[in-house]
């Protein structure tokens, strides 16, 4: 079955594997999900979907060109089970690591785009994620392009020890250079964005959008509950909570996302002058 | 010595904390408080002092001395206002051309509901972004625990030094053990797996030097540290700013271990 969907995906250029709704557990065919802007056709909740699908969905057809697709993680600390986790993640997602980067057009507006893969070791950031996103910003700087980033992450990848923590600094420095040259960085926070990614490039956008109901925070809810010693409000660390506290610019539904992004990219087009 | 033994030493109460280094290294200190946005955070000390004849800005995460002091300083776990105070003082240092010297000693950024409400992630993210482009030299010394993003928020520096038994980690070994093995008692194993010692930091290019711990002769120990700071600062201050920033960029840019098309 997996072989068949893989083959179909190859032939059509689209990911044909079915999606499973995290809320109601319904299996939804890829085609139906695509048509429905990745809302569950059974319960209406937002489906979690991977970086490559995300880009296919948001980018104009046949405009995506990948940057540095062949980077793979190494188990350089011989960390318990890391090699096996990588192998499993590669098998279930078909990706080499937790982010897909490249250039694309959104309703005709060129940009550098990256989107994270929540099912690849919880889209944790290790050397490969850090390197690929850094390269994406460097490419964007060189070509004076805006960067559009879809974040989703469980945080830094502890299996790469201190090297993973340093990726936060590495990417931030690249964001800074891109920004200093007057380029736009637009982030879309998707469910779930936490830990070291929240504490670095997710929160460094000039404009920060979020999907409805997305979990976004620094510390995990359970840790916060233990520290605070009380029950937290239901919407704690959800995008609505962040909007209310002043940390995101706008919450945008999936049906409006493409036009909103396209408009913002157009407004920041550096070639247009009166 | 194992990583776990070092971790225990780094956490020993009675070990010199941030305040001791400030007192020993800088003369005529003036402490400055508050983030001018929300409040004051006792977990981060900041101010101006002289390093020999050079005015510098110092920032130190302070765990506190006795229990009362530790409570007041939230055991050295900064909140967003602490990181924002640090950023305010860094920008001030930049304006007046003063080098910034940071001292890191924290289990990590505070994980309370109030910290989340005030944007802990954003506060750290902004420090990383600003430090990457700060036009004055930044030196960071990990004097005890370097806990995750909460430590890195003072760690995007031109030079990073580790004390002999200091540790620097992406996650606390307790946190790692409870996530990986659902057993926070396996701290020892986790500390080992995470590679958190000063030697590890040299190996991964995270730190440039290790300072020996001779706490029984603390003034002499600080004298040696001061000499190293002065030596590195005079080197950094003699460079054009653009070159210093380019080297700071490359310092982090080169960290990362992966393969491309199957090759390392
Ligand atoms: Zn559903």
């Amino acid at each position: 079955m997996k072989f068949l969907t893989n083959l179909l995906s190859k032939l059509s250029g689209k990911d044909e594997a079915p999606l499973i709704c995290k809320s109601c557990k319904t299996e939804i065919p890829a085609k139906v999900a695509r048509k429905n802007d990745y809302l569950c056709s059974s319960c209406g909740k937002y489906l979690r979907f991977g970086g490559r699908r995300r880009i296919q969905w948001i980018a104009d057809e046949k405009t995506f060109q990948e940057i540095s697709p062949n980077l793979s993680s190494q188990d350089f600390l011989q960390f318990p089970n890391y090699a096996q986790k990588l192998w499993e993640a590669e098998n279930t997602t078909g990706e080499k690591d937790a982010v897909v980067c490249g250039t694309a057009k959104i309703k005709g507006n060129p940009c550098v785009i990256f989107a994270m893969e929540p099912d690849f070791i919880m889209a944790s950031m290790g050397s490969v994620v850090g390197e690929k996103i850094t390269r994406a910003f460097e490419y964007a700087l060189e070509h004076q392009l805006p960067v559009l980033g879809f974040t989703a992450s469980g945080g830094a990848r502890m299996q790469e020890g201190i090297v993973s923590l340093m990726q936060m600094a590495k990417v931030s420095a690249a964001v800074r250079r891109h920004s200093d040259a007057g380029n736009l960085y637009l982030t879309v926070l998707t469910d779930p964005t936490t830990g070291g990614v929240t504490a670095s490039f997710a929160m460094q956008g000039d404009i920060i959008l979020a999907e409805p109901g997305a979990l976004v925070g620094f510390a995990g809810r359970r840790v916060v509950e233990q520290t605070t010693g009380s029950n937290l409000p239901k919407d704690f660390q959800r995008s609505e909570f962040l909007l209310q506290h002043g940390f995101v610019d706008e919450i945008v539904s999936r049906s409006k996302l493409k036009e909103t992004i396209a408009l913002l990219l157009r407004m920041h087009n550096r070639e247009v002058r009166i | 010595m194992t990583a776990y033994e070092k971790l225990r030493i780094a956490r020993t109460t009675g070990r010199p904390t941030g305040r001791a280094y400030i007192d020993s290294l800088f003369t005529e200190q003036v402490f400055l408080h508050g983030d001018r946005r929300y409040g004051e955070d006792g977990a981060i000390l900041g101010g101006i002092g002289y390093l020999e004849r050079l005015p510098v800005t110092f920032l130190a995460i302070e765990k506190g001395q006795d229990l009362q002091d530790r409570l007041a300083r939230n055991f050295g776990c900064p909140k967003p206002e602490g990181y924002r105070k640090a950023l305010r003082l860094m920008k001030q240092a930049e304006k007046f051309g003063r080098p910034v010297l940071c001292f890191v000693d924290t289990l990590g950024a505070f994980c309370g509901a109030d910290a989340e409400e005030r944007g802990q992630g954003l506060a750290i993210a902004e420090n990383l972004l600003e430090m990457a482009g700060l036009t004055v030299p930044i030196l960071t010394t990990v004097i005890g625990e370097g806990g995750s993003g909460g430590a890195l928020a003072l760690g995007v520096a031109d030079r990073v030094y580790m004390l002999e038994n200091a540790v620097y980690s992406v996650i606390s070994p307790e946190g790692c053990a409870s996530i990986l093995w659902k057993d926070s008692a396996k701290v020892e194993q986790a500390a080992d797996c995470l590679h958190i010692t000063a030697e590890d930091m040299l190996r991964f290019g995270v730190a440039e030097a290790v300072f020996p711990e001779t706490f029984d002769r603390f003034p002499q120990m600080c004298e040696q540290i001061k000499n190293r700071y002065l030596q590195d600062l005079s080197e950094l201050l003699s460079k054009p700013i653009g070159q210093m920033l380019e080297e700071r960029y490359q310092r982090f840019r080169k960290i990362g271990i992966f393969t491309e098309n199957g090759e390392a």
Side-chain angles (χ1 to χ4, degrees):
Chain A
M1 191 60 206
K2 200 167 150 47
F3 167 77
L4 259 178
T5 53
N6 280 350
L7 186 70
L8 259 173
S9 305
K10 275 231 167 70
L11 288 173
S12 67
K14 288 184 176 134
D15 194 341
E16 295 300 335
L19 289 91
I20 291 159
C21 173
K22 287 230 164 16
S23 293
C24 71
K25 314 283 177 220
T26 309
E27 188 179 288
I28 297 146
K31 220 168 137 183
V32 177
R34 268 204 299 275
K35 212 182 274 174
N36 210 9
D37 280 330
Y38 290 92
L39 266 59
C40 173
S41 46
S42 167
C43 75
K45 290 262 169 63
Y46 275 42
L47 298 167
R48 268 190 199 176
F49 63 131
R52 196 168 298 274
R53 270 198 227 253
R54 173 71 79 168
I55 292 170
Q56 272 166 9
W57 170 68
I58 205 83
D60 299 346
E61 205 156 343
K62 297 199 171 106
T63 61
F64 177 63
Q65 288 197 313
E66 197 165 354
I67 295 173
S68 300
N70 293 320
L71 268 60
S72 295
S73 290
Q74 261 191 304
D75 179 21
F76 56 89
L77 297 179
Q78 277 89 51
F79 201 97
N81 298 323
Y82 185 35
Q84 195 195 334
K85 276 208 170 96
L86 285 170
W87 186 83
E88 283 169 6
E90 200 173 330
N91 269 282
T92 46
T93 64
E95 296 296 341
K96 289 196 165 67
D97 215 284
V99 70
V100 179
C101 304
T103 55
K105 285 184 178 169
I106 317 286
K107 288 189 187 273
N109 300 280
C111 64
V112 166
I113 188 169
F114 71 83
M116 301 181 79
E117 175 59 63
D119 289 335
F120 197 104
I121 318 186
M122 292 167 70
S124 53
M125 170 162 61
S127 298
V128 170
V129 170
E131 179 70 19
K132 284 177 82 165
I133 296 178
T134 300
R135 286 188 192 181
F137 274 95
E138 288 175 341
Y139 183 93
L141 173 61
E142 193 187 331
H143 296 87
Q144 298 283 291
L145 286 167
V147 174
L148 166 63
F150 291 89
T151 65
S153 183
R157 189 173 293 171
M158 62 184 171
Q159 292 89 347
E160 295 189 16
I162 197 70
V163 172
S164 71
L165 186 72
M166 293 301 136
Q167 303 309 306
M168 291 167 63
K170 174 163 128 182
V171 175
S172 297
V175 173
R176 171 72 190 240
R177 287 198 158 181
H178 179 256
S179 175
D180 281 350
N183 296 299
L184 172 73
Y185 173 29
L186 176 59
T187 52
V188 183
L189 310 176
T190 78
D191 187 53
T193 298
T194 61
V197 167
T198 301
S200 61
F201 59 86
M203 286 291 168
Q204 291 167 344
D206 297 293
I207 295 173
I208 303 177
L209 306 178
E211 289 200 317
L215 176 79
V216 180
F218 175 65
R221 189 187 172 99
R222 234 176 9 148
V223 179
V224 177
E225 248 162 4
Q226 279 166 10
T227 309
T228 309
S230 63
N231 287 331
L232 300 164
K234 210 176 144 204
D235 74 339
F236 186 71
Q237 294 180 325
R238 297 284 161 185
S239 38
E240 294 75 13
F241 174 94
L242 269 83
L243 183 78
Q244 199 197 338
H245 285 88
F247 297 113
V248 301
D249 286 292
E250 187 61 296
I251 295 172
V252 184
S253 67
R254 277 188 190 158
S255 60
K256 294 269 165 53
L257 198 53
K258 183 159 178 161
E259 56 185 281
T260 305
I261 290 168
L263 175 59
L264 286 168
L265 291 175
R266 185 151 53 80
M267 285 170 157
H268 291 84
N269 186 328
R270 306 186 68 183
E271 276 155 33
V272 182
R273 295 287 180 271
I274 288 175
Chain B
M1 212 186 291
T2 68
Y4 181 65
E5 283 164 337
K6 291 199 174 223
L7 177 73
R8 303 245 338 231
I9 293 172
R11 285 177 178 171
T12 314
T13 51
R15 184 182 166 86
T17 60
R19 181 68 200 239
Y21 291 88
I22 292 172
D23 285 344
S24 205
L25 288 160
F26 311 113
T27 53
E28 300 179 81
Q29 316 126 10
V30 179
F31 285 85
L32 304 171
H33 301 91
D35 69 347
R36 307 260 173 94
R37 294 285 182 272
Y38 174 84
E40 156 68 359
D41 185 351
I44 299 187
L45 297 172
I48 313 168
Y50 282 98
L51 182 74
E52 292 288 335
R53 282 177 305 158
L54 184 69
V56 298
T57 288
F58 56 79
L59 294 162
I61 305 181
E62 171 61 50
K63 284 186 173 175
Q65 308 300 322
D66 52 31
L67 183 63
Q68 202 181 355
D69 193 32
R70 277 200 281 278
L71 279 166
R73 304 193 181 284
N74 203 24
F75 299 88
C77 293
K79 295 183 179 181
E81 48 272 27
Y83 292 116
R84 290 184 179 126
K85 169 170 78 176
L87 181 57
R88 178 174 79 83
L89 297 181
M90 284 190 245
K91 299 295 280 184
Q92 186 188 72
E94 181 177 53
K95 175 176 173 181
F96 297 105
R98 285 192 290 269
V100 177
L101 282 85
C102 300
F103 301 87
V104 169
D105 188 12
T106 182
L107 178 66
F110 187 58
C111 290
D114 56 341
E116 292 292 315
E117 277 169 11
R118 296 199 288 278
Q120 188 70 284
L122 176 76
I124 295 170
E126 285 187 325
N127 282 20
L128 305 185
L129 198 66
E130 292 298 333
M131 290 180 89
L134 207 77
T135 56
V136 290
I138 307 171
L139 309 182
T140 294
T141 309
V142 184
I143 57 171
E145 274 187 288
S148 193
L152 187 64
L154 296 183
V156 185
D158 300 294
R159 301 280 186 276
V160 174
Y161 318 95
M162 299 288 296
L163 254 65
E164 186 184 334
N165 293 306
V167 295
Y168 203 171
S169 184
V170 62
I171 183 173
S172 75
E174 287 81 1
C176 172
S178 88
I179 291 171
L180 273 191
W181 298 297
K182 316 277 173 232
D183 182 359
S184 55
K186 292 197 174 168
V187 189
E188 208 166 338
Q189 206 176 330
D192 204 39
C193 293
L194 287 165
H195 292 73
I196 59 176
T197 69
E199 291 74 43
D200 293 318
M201 296 312 118
L202 291 180
R203 176 154 71 98
F204 293 118
V206 170
E208 276 76 18
V210 179
F211 296 143
E213 290 176 8
T214 46
F215 295 143
D216 50 340
R217 289 178 293 125
F218 192 65
Q220 291 89 331
M221 173 185 153
C222 285
E223 199 59 31
Q224 286 188 352
I225 293 176
K226 183 161 67 179
N227 287 338
R228 176 66 192 239
Y229 288 166
L230 288 166
Q231 188 190 321
D232 286 353
L233 282 177
S234 72
E235 190 195 325
L236 289 163
L237 289 166
S238 72
K239 291 176 190 196
I241 289 168
Q243 188 190 339
M244 181 183 77
L245 291 177
E246 173 63 22
E247 287 173 11
R248 190 184 301 158
Y249 187 83
Q250 294 304 335
R251 192 181 175 280
F252 291 94
R253 181 69 188 85
K254 65 181 199 288
I255 302 177
I257 301 168
F258 53 87
T259 60
E260 185 159 20
N261 298 312
E263 283 167 40

